[in-house]
Amino acid sequence: MQPIVPKGYDSNQFPPALDASQLAVREATATLAKAKESIESTKKLVNEQLNRYSNFFVPHFGLNPLKGIMEQFFPPGHSVKQGGGAGNSLGIAQEIMAYQNPSPAENNLKLEVIVAIVNGILVIPEREAAIQKSNTERLRFVEEAIFKLDFRPTRDAIVAGRTLEGFDWPANRGGMGKKLSNQVNRNKFIFNQGNNKFSNGYKIASGEKNIYMEKDHADGFSVIVKPTINYYQDVYHGTPKQFWQYTSKHRLGVEVDEAYGKGYYVVKVYKVDPVTGAPAGQFYAVARAPITQYQGNPGFLLAKVKKVLFPEMYLLSAGVALKTSEREKHYEKQLENAKNMWAGIPDKPKTPVSYVIEQGYSYPNVFNTPNQPPTSPGLNTTTTPINGLRIYLQPTGIEDAMRRILDVKHPSGNAIERWTVNDLLQGALVSSPPNKYQYMKYSVDQNNWNKLIERYYNTIKTVYALLDNPHLHAGGINNATFIQTLNNGAHTLKKKKMWGDDSWLINEPTPLYTQYLQDAVKIFNYAGWPQAAPQEIFSAAIDEEQDLNVIISMFNKYMSENAPISPGQMYVPESFNGSLNSVISVAAQGAQQTGQAGLPNYNFGFDARVNAGSLYKKTPMLVHYTNTDAVKKQRYHKGARTVVTGRTEQATSAFSMPIITPIEANIPRVRGSMDTTIGQAQLTKTIGYGSIGIAALVGLYQLVRR
């Protein structure tokens, strides 16, 4: 990925030092590098001479002559010095010159060469000791450069910090920042309160869900220590170009999040999709300050934190994104995987893709309070909304199964009709039906007949609720959320998670609810609905509906150019085109006029027309609120055809995806037109984020769409 580099920076260099301690670390690091280079150069020269005269040195000092000479003449604690005298470098050289079988003369080895070798070996440990001393001195500056946190750490400081006691950097990213919370009560580095001046200002703080270490900053906010250092460990773990690539995938923003304290603005570094600039669900909470301290002006806080701790990072509100030319390159791995999965599908015309969009945000706990969950997010009421698009490859044959449910004239028979005749009414086929009534239900009173018809219509409504449910398109008919509520119809929260809080199914009595779901499953099974689960083949974070069109168009373009047949968009469900009708049976002359025990018989059958009482609600939005989080999901389509009538549908009306920017931030927006600034972040599970509604805005805030 080509990184997004702010003006004035070089993608081939790490950002510069910002204060005296960081400059000292930089200079000390450069000096140490030169000293180490000098040692390596000396070792190289010594080994070149030893190899040149290996016929002499190997027989006397072994296959590693350098090691052999050091063990014999320079043991630990030796007092050898350069120059003449017993036991010094010249004396050692003269002693070696006296060796025989082979002798130096036999190999044309002169005294001055041996003196140079011995003197070179002698200075190596001296220089190593000097380096160790210099490194110890450097670490005094490293301590300040990393943990004082007046300014963002530099790479030199972070790399040097790997050697600090208790703050090593293992392969599992458990480095210095990761270990902070485990060092509070130990006599280790920054938490040695008696000896470490940089630990002044460190304190334990807590929020709704977190306990963490923070440090007061002179600019009027608190730095949340661990995630701040974690971020810089991560971003400096590579080359300068990798630094800028990592920075390009993150943005700085501010919001209210009670997980980090009630009544606080929280500054976060968000992982974003560089193509759309949208948050992808992961973040580092890096600073916070009381709302009252900034009197409703979080932009001022954000500008302060950016200036000292994240000067190279763009703001979330700036809308900076990759250029169009970088879009496919950024999504290259996902697109390649999607193409390869598609290539393995044998019956491509019967294997469509389906789009699911989702949104999540968090808000203060409303449990046992008169407050209600905010239906749309706002800067002072919820976290930032996390919006995502996921593309699922559906199992082969799913569209034909949908036809068998919704088309009463399906050549293979209709699943609803089959369930109605065989399971619900247990009717018999009659040889000479009156008009369209080809089935007979024997001996049922009108009250029970009406109950059966009510069950019929509610089952059809359940089928409708399931056909376009995001859980079905993401996880199939056996998805965990559906199976949980099918097995436990009394669990209200599971029902809300499956159907949304406003679904009519939520308030149905448990026996009826379970009956409707079991009936719906029978209909799906009669239709031959595939049991295999859909496969997610692409995902992206998005900020607005325009992002949907851009990403979907890019996906379709790539698949059409790289596959013989590109996947089609899954058909849209519509209303069942069969109308259930019935009449009380009138027997032929001389035949019994009623059923057994005086109960009537009913003739029933299906017309091929839509019953106005069972119209399908298109693209329902699933909305579920918990005490602290909101989740919205729905299927999204644009230009898809209806499954039975083949009509082309307009784009789904998606849930609102607004973005709030504080007016007082005074930081210019740098995003250009959508055509020139679009540029992947695999979606991860969100932990409470939000979308934003106009009604929630107060004071000096406005709604700004990117």
Side-chain angles (χ1 to χ4, degrees):
M1 184 190 88
Q2 187 66 31
I4 305 171
V5 182
K7 186 177 180 180
Y9 291 93
D10 185 349
S11 63
N12 296 312
Q13 295 181 0
F14 290 106
L18 298 177
D19 71 347
S21 64
Q22 295 178 356
L23 287 170
V25 172
R26 186 190 69 184
E27 296 304 320
T29 299
T31 301
L32 285 172
K34 291 181 180 179
K36 291 177 181 178
E37 184 179 348
S38 175
I39 290 178
E40 293 305 314
S41 177
T42 300
K43 288 181 178 179
K44 181 179 178 181
L45 291 174
V46 168
N47 281 316
E48 284 178 353
Q49 294 300 316
L50 292 174
N51 291 333
R52 181 178 179 182
Y53 298 101
S54 60
N55 289 339
F56 171 79
F57 287 107
V58 169
H60 292 296
F61 298 101
L63 294 176
N64 187 344
L66 176 58
K67 180 181 179 182
I69 294 173
M70 293 184 70
E71 289 176 349
Q72 184 167 341
F73 296 105
F74 303 95
H78 69 80
S79 57
V80 178
K81 299 179 181 179
Q82 289 191 34
N88 290 333
S89 59
L90 178 58
I92 292 173
Q94 290 171 335
E95 183 178 342
I96 293 175
M97 281 294 293
Y99 279 30
Q100 298 296 318
N101 299 318
S103 67
E106 293 175 43
N107 292 276
N108 199 28
L109 177 60
K110 307 296 184 183
L111 176 63
E112 54 267 30
V113 174
I114 299 179
V115 170
I117 290 173
V118 174
N119 283 336
I121 294 173
L122 182 61
V123 300
I124 289 174
E126 293 177 357
R127 291 177 180 175
E128 287 177 339
I131 286 176
Q132 183 60 42
K133 183 179 179 180
S134 297
N135 193 49
T136 301
E137 293 295 318
R138 178 179 66 151
L139 293 184
R140 291 189 301 158
F141 297 110
V142 170
E143 182 180 3
E144 179 174 356
I146 296 176
F147 295 106
K148 192 176 181 181
L149 288 175
D150 285 348
F151 298 94
R152 62 107 171 92
T154 58
R155 184 185 188 266
D156 289 333
I158 290 291
V159 171
R162 298 176 189 176
T163 63
L164 297 175
E165 181 185 8
F167 297 96
D168 54 328
W169 195 341
N172 63 357
R173 292 176 65 252
M176 61 185 79
K178 300 292 185 184
K179 293 187 175 182
L180 289 182
S181 61
N182 296 327
Q183 302 297 330
V184 176
N185 297 316
R186 300 180 187 179
N187 189 25
K188 296 280 190 180
F189 202 55
I190 69 169
F191 296 108
N192 185 346
Q193 300 286 338
N195 300 323
N196 192 295
K197 61 183 179 181
F198 303 117
S199 63
N200 292 333
Y202 277 81
K203 57 188 178 182
I204 296 292
S206 63
E208 183 74 22
K209 300 178 181 178
N210 299 286
I211 298 176
Y212 48 87
M213 186 68 63
E214 67 177 10
K215 183 182 185 299
D216 293 335
H217 195 281
D219 281 356
F221 59 87
S222 296
V223 183
I224 303 176
V225 178
K226 182 177 176 181
T228 301
I229 296 178
N230 282 350
Y231 175 79
Y232 279 105
Q233 282 196 113
D234 294 339
V235 74
Y236 287 134
H237 202 54
T239 64
K241 185 174 182 180
Q242 289 171 322
F243 168 87
W244 292 109
Q245 287 175 333
Y246 196 87
T247 303
S248 299
K249 296 177 182 178
H250 292 82
R251 301 287 187 273
L252 197 66
V254 60
E255 65 183 10
V256 173
D257 185 349
E258 289 198 353
Y260 296 89
K262 187 175 183 179
Y264 279 81
Y265 287 130
V266 183
V267 178
K268 296 180 178 179
V269 172
Y270 296 92
K271 184 177 181 181
V272 302
D273 186 325
V275 173
T276 62
Q282 293 178 328
F283 62 82
Y284 304 82
V286 295
R288 69 174 193 154
I291 294 175
T292 54
Q293 182 176 329
Y294 284 84
Q295 298 182 359
N297 188 355
F300 191 31
L301 168 64
L302 188 61
K304 284 183 175 183
V305 175
K306 174 177 168 56
K307 183 183 75 170
V308 295
L309 291 181
F310 298 93
E312 295 80 30
M313 187 175 293
Y314 282 110
L315 296 182
L316 189 63
S317 57
V320 180
L322 289 177
K323 296 180 179 179
T324 304
S325 58
E326 290 289 316
R327 191 183 305 152
E328 283 191 14
K329 185 177 180 181
H330 177 69
Y331 291 117
E332 183 177 8
K333 186 175 182 179
Q334 281 203 81
L335 292 169
E336 181 72 16
N337 289 339
K339 181 194 72 173
N340 292 340
M341 186 176 293
W342 175 245
I345 299 298
D347 196 348
K348 293 179 174 58
K350 294 184 179 181
T351 311
V353 293
S354 184
Y355 312 137
V356 173
I357 55 176
E358 52 193 33
Q359 180 183 86
Y361 55 88
S362 293
Y363 40 79
N365 195 321
V366 297
F367 183 67
N368 286 336
T369 72
N371 299 326
Q372 295 296 319
T375 57
S376 59
L379 182 61
N380 287 317
T381 57
T382 73
T383 57
T384 300
I386 301 299
N387 306 310
L389 162 70
R390 298 180 187 269
I391 300 180
Y392 293 94
L393 185 63
Q394 298 298 318
T396 301
I398 191 171
E399 290 177 325
D400 191 55
M402 189 184 293
R403 284 195 194 95
R404 287 198 63 183
I405 292 174
L406 298 177
D407 186 5
V408 75
K409 290 187 176 181
H410 195 283
S412 299
N414 178 264
I416 292 177
E417 181 175 359
R418 181 178 174 184
W419 167 78
T420 304
V421 174
N422 296 338
D423 297 272
L424 177 64
L425 300 179
Q426 298 176 352
L429 187 66
V430 295
S431 57
S432 300
N435 303 321
K436 57 196 174 184
Y437 306 108
Q438 57 182 328
Y439 303 106
M440 176 76 76
K441 171 66 174 176
Y442 292 100
S443 305
V444 60
D445 63 38
Q446 186 173 358
N447 183 53
N448 284 328
W449 175 261
N450 291 339
K451 288 182 178 179
L452 291 170
I453 298 304
E454 181 181 9
R455 177 178 161 189
Y456 167 83
Y457 282 116
N458 284 335
T459 298
I460 302 306
K461 286 167 61 180
T462 304
V463 168
Y464 289 166
L466 190 55
L467 276 174
D468 222 6
N469 191 290
H471 293 295
L472 181 76
H473 289 260
I477 191 65
N478 296 313
N479 72 84
T481 304
F482 179 66
I483 296 301
Q484 284 177 348
T485 187
L486 177 64
N487 293 336
N488 185 1
H491 201 300
T492 301
L493 290 181
K494 290 180 180 178
K495 291 196 288 187
K496 288 183 175 181
K497 184 178 179 182
M498 176 65 198
W499 309 109
D501 292 357
D502 61 349
S503 172
W504 66 275
L505 280 163
I506 303 302
N507 298 319
E508 287 296 303
T510 300
L512 293 178
Y513 174 86
T514 302
Q515 182 67 69
Y516 298 150
L517 264 60
Q518 291 174 343
D519 289 341
V521 168
K522 274 192 176 181
I523 291 173
F524 275 70
N525 288 336
Y526 282 149
W529 196 274
Q531 299 298 304
Q535 298 294 314
E536 182 180 324
I537 60 173
F538 187 88
S539 64
I542 53 177
D543 258 352
E544 56 190 354
E545 196 163 347
Q546 192 169 2
D547 289 341
L548 282 172
N549 298 325
V550 169
I551 298 299
I552 290 173
S553 296
M554 179 209 68
F555 175 84
N556 290 335
K557 177 176 177 291
Y558 176 88
M559 296 299 282
S560 63
E561 291 177 352
N562 292 275
I565 303 175
S566 58
Q569 187 180 170
M570 186 169 172
Y571 286 135
V572 180
E574 54 190 316
S575 295
F576 175 42
N577 65 2
S579 177
L580 176 62
N581 294 278
S582 64
V583 293
I584 294 179
S585 174
V586 179
Q589 185 175 5
Q592 185 178 352
Q593 296 295 315
T594 63
Q596 295 178 2
L599 297 178
N601 298 326
Y602 283 83
N603 276 110
F604 66 93
F606 285 87
D607 282 337
R609 60 184 176 85
V610 174
N611 188 309
S614 59
L615 288 175
Y616 178 71
K617 180 184 177 184
K618 295 180 175 61
T619 59
M621 183 192 304
L622 188 156
V623 181
H624 175 47
Y625 299 105
T626 68
N627 293 330
T628 58
D629 301 288
V631 177
K632 301 178 182 180
K633 296 185 179 186
Q634 68 181 110
R635 184 186 170 200
Y636 181 84
H637 60 76
K638 182 179 181 181
R641 292 186 176 275
T642 55
V643 67
V644 179
T645 59
R647 299 189 312 273
T648 300
E649 292 287 291
Q650 300 298 317
T652 306
S653 179
F655 45 69
S656 176
M657 290 180 276
I659 300 161
I660 284 185
T661 300
I663 298 175
E664 287 75 21
N666 291 326
I667 299 174
R669 296 170 63 80
V670 297
R671 185 169 184 174
S673 68
M674 186 67 67
D675 291 336
T676 59
T677 59
I678 297 299
Q680 159 177 356
Q682 186 71 22
L683 283 173
T684 58
K685 182 183 179 186
T686 61
I687 314 175
Y689 299 84
S691 70
I692 302 166
I694 296 177
L697 300 183
V698 293
L700 299 175
Y701 302 101
Q702 65 176 355
L703 186 65
V704 179
R705 292 187 65 84
R706 277 193 250 175

